[in-house]
Each structure stands twice: as C-alpha cells, then as structure tokens.
Amino acid sequence: MLLFGPQDITIRHEPDDGYLEEFRAALVGEDVVVEATFHNPASAGDPDWSYGFIFRARFTNYYYLATINSESELLLYTRAEDPEQRGELVQQSADINTAAGEKNVFRIVTIGERGWIYINGQLQGEMDLSVIGAGGGIRAIVDDKKSGETQVDGLTVWEWGESLATQMPEVDAPPANEPVDGEDPEVPVFGPTVGSLTHDPDDEMPEVHAAVLQGGDVMIAVTFKNPYAPNESHWNYGISLENSDGFHWVSINSKRTWLHNYYSFVREDHGWLPGEREAGIDVSEGGENHLRIIVKGDTGWFYVNDRFIGNVNLSLGGMPHSDFIGLVVNDNNGFGNRYKAGDTTKFEYFTVWKWHPSLFELPDDD
C-alpha cells in the first residue's frame, strides 16, 4: 500500500546553518519501504556530498540515519536515547555513482527489528533495528557543505506487503547461517570485491575498509598485496570483526616473517596470539598473501595461503559476537613502519559467505 509520494523535491543547501537539510516525508508504522533517486550535486571530492534518509525518527531527536557520499561510502548511524547504544558503521560500496550529473537510487526496507539497504538495485547488507522501536518519521536529508541544491526524484514510502516481498525475496528471510531450501551455500553474502586502503600515518588511527553488516557463523577470505619491500617499511594487514563494544583483528605482518598480531580490544582488555617464524608469508614488495578466517561461535580458524595457522579466541574480554566485517591496516609510523601518506595497500577477492561445512574442510580435530 502506498503511504507517501511519489514526489519530486529539491533540497536547498544552507551550509552555514550547522544542520542537515531535510524534507519530512511521512509518519509511518513498522514495516515500510522507502525509496528515492538522488542526483549528485558535484563530482567525487569536489566538494564532498552526502545524502540519504533519516527513519524511525522521534520528536525527542532519536533516529536511524543512512547516507551515501562522494567517497563511495555507505554510513549507518544510530542516535539512541542511551549513549551506550549509539553507534556508527561505514562501509565502502562499488555500487555508488559518484560523478557529477550522475544519480543513485537509494532504498531502505524496515521490518520489525531488521532492515535492508539497496543502492541502485543492489543489496548492501542488513541492519540491526532493535535499538529504536518501530514507527516514526521518515526524512530525505542532505549533509550540505557547499551552497547549491540536491534534486530528489520519486520520493516514495510503501507499507511492506506481499507484492513487495515478491520483488525482494531476500528481505525478511530467516537470519540463519545454514542455507534455507533452495539456497546455494557457495553463493557469498558479500563480494568478491577489489579495492585499497589509503595510508594516512599522521591521523594516529588504523585504516579500516568497512565492508558488510553480517553476523553469526561466516567464512571470510581476502588476498592482500604487499605495499612495500621489507627493507622499505614494515607492513601489516588483516581482517577486522567488530561490534559496538569493540573489535578483533586477525592479521599478518612482515616483521621477521612473524605471523601475527591477532589483537582484541574490549573496553580495557587486550590479548595477543603469538606468531610463528615459518608461516609461509610472502614478504616481497608486491607479493600476495591470501587470508581466510572461519568463524563458528566464539572460535575462529585462521589460514594464511591455505595453511592452517591456529584457532583464535573470539570471546576475549567478554565481547559479544561480531556483527560487522571489514579489512584493516595499522599504518601508524613507528616500530619499523614507515608508511607514506597517499600510498595504498591493495586487496582483491574480498568475500564473505555464511558458514556451511561444504565450503571448506576444517581440521579433523574440530
């Protein structure tokens, strides 16, 4: 059932007012689909632009926000009443059109405590909507950094129903890690994708390629290319498993060909899994290393170039199960790291599957 629109609107930029510019579309119930076609006000990075939706908005200024921007990023933000429940996730998406004059079809589906995001018809991932209750306001928004305007076509809100379910069969499917009838376990839930992490050693922060909202038992695989020769700079890279409480890093580095730096941080708890010298890591400049981790409950099985390295404890610090998967490079200078600003660590074949025993043979003692 149609609840609002379709309506074409123009959102005028007011960069000096200190607020997002918005168009209030509707006050709606729990299960809805929101869609609009946004026109890019400028090309990528000239200047930065960002647009999308606020939904389940309360008059007390609590809401969910989902936007895309000129850096090919999808941003998900939760502004909850409890500060401990607020959070932000960012993931790269190759489905975002960033050039001037291009446009993006942005769609959000909300059903109970779950949500789904589409960009230009491609599913980006699932959202946890359990923090803020159902219903509330829907707004089209622009984060305006420069004077001008953003054209929005066909802003529409539907109540979720059988006809929409037929068009989007992946929505409201059971969030299980075993395949449902007719589902092929070899079909990934994300990827394979190709990309890079740009080094910024002066920001004193690791660089994270935020990829996909996906919890439960999964298999993750990625191939990294070494950015430097060992005598030029020590380097490291790996996989990040995160939630709002903290993260686990499972990674390798070039220092003395030691594997490891498995790192977990939850509040003030830290843990390290010692590495080994002969881990079969290629440390040459431009060399490639294939990482794989299989997550089942609180345990991870870690492989480098298809060689089993060992198990990692994913319950360290009492951290809840991860619900977000990404890639990470700790590019702070020091301890032999001499990362150069603007250089990149490239990756390819970054893929995530729901775990199923047919995907990969675990060690016999499992």
Side-chain angles (χ1 to χ4, degrees):
M1 182 176 70
L2 185 65
L3 300 177
F4 177 88
Q7 182 169 338
D8 298 341
I9 60 175
T10 299
I11 301 179
R12 301 192 182 279
H13 302 178
E14 298 290 343
D16 298 326
D17 67 0
Y19 295 96
L20 299 172
E21 309 308 326
E22 64 180 39
F23 177 86
R24 300 193 176 203
L27 286 171
V28 298
E30 179 173 350
D31 302 341
V32 297
V33 178
V34 185
E35 182 176 291
T37 299
F38 292 83
H39 293 252
N40 299 342
S43 60
D46 184 28
D48 293 339
W49 53 257
S50 176
Y51 50 62
F53 299 112
I54 281 176
F55 55 102
R56 294 196 175 178
R58 299 294 189 264
F59 293 111
T60 49
N61 204 28
Y62 304 127
Y63 52 79
Y64 296 104
L65 175 148
T67 60
I68 59 178
N69 64 32
S70 56
E71 301 300 320
S72 299
E73 294 173 334
L74 168 62
L75 166 67
L76 308 175
Y77 174 68
T78 302
R79 180 179 173 82
E81 181 175 7
D82 182 356
E84 293 295 323
Q85 292 183 302
R86 297 178 184 179
E88 178 178 297
L89 293 174
V90 180
Q91 67 185 60
Q92 292 287 130
S93 174
D95 298 313
I96 300 173
N97 298 319
T98 60
E102 291 190 326
K103 54 190 177 182
N104 291 284
V105 181
F106 202 9
R107 178 192 300 162
I108 291 177
V109 183
T110 68
I111 301 178
E113 296 185 345
R114 301 169 67 194
W116 294 261
I117 290 183
Y118 293 79
I119 299 173
N120 296 317
Q122 300 301 310
L123 180 63
Q124 305 298 304
E126 186 174 330
M127 300 177 288
D128 177 3
L129 303 182
S130 62
V131 175
I132 300 175
I138 294 175
R139 310 169 191 171
I141 60 168
V142 172
D143 187 358
D144 49 341
K145 297 179 174 63
K146 185 178 180 180
S147 297
E149 60 186 33
T150 297
Q151 181 66 34
V152 184
D153 296 340
L155 176 59
T156 311
V157 183
W158 297 269
E159 183 179 15
W160 179 255
E162 184 176 347
S163 62
L164 292 170
T166 301
Q167 299 174 41
M168 293 175 279
E170 63 275 13
V171 169
D172 207 24
N177 292 295
E178 294 297 321
V180 298
D181 290 342
E183 182 178 290
D184 186 349
E186 294 187 4
V187 175
V189 295
F190 175 84
T193 62
V194 177
S196 61
L197 292 89
T198 301
H199 304 163
D200 184 5
D202 297 325
D203 66 359
E204 299 183 353
M205 295 290 292
E207 309 309 325
V208 177
H209 173 84
V212 61
L213 294 167
Q214 177 68 48
D217 297 346
V218 294
M219 182 172 75
I220 309 157
V222 61
T223 297
F224 283 96
K225 294 187 177 182
N226 302 336
Y228 305 113
N231 61 349
E232 186 178 8
S233 174
H234 174 47
W235 48 256
N236 71 86
Y237 45 65
I239 297 167
S240 181
L241 306 171
E242 308 178 26
N243 62 29
S244 58
D245 286 339
F247 54 84
H248 297 281
W249 290 350
V250 184
S251 57
I252 65 174
N253 66 59
S254 60
K255 199 170 186 178
R256 299 191 302 274
T257 69
W258 275 63
L259 179 259
H260 152 62
N261 60 87
Y262 164 64
Y263 179 61
S264 177
F265 172 75
V266 185
R267 299 180 178 91
E268 296 300 325
D269 295 329
H270 301 255
W272 295 85
L273 175 71
E276 56 179 290
R277 284 188 178 275
E278 301 300 330
I281 300 173
D282 184 345
V283 298
S284 64
E285 182 177 9
E288 298 183 353
N289 291 290
H290 184 66
L291 309 188
R292 183 192 310 268
I293 184 168
I294 295 164
V295 176
K296 293 177 61 180
D298 292 330
T299 302
W301 284 257
F302 187 37
Y303 292 78
V304 177
N305 298 324
D306 287 328
R307 177 172 180 260
F308 179 57
I309 302 302
N311 292 116
V312 291
N313 177 13
L314 299 177
S315 65
L316 187 67
M319 175 177 159
H321 289 174
S322 303
D323 55 21
F324 179 68
I325 297 166
L327 305 178
V328 63
V329 168
N330 188 1
D331 61 351
N332 292 338
N333 283 333
F335 302 103
N337 293 342
R338 293 184 292 274
Y339 283 94
K340 301 173 185 176
D343 284 358
T344 60
T345 296
K346 298 179 180 180
F347 63 85
E348 55 188 10
Y349 309 121
F350 180 25
T351 312
V352 181
W353 298 263
K354 291 182 181 179
W355 171 247
H356 186 265
S358 65
L359 291 173
F360 195 83
E361 185 175 355
L362 292 174
D364 292 336
D365 58 354
D366 172 33

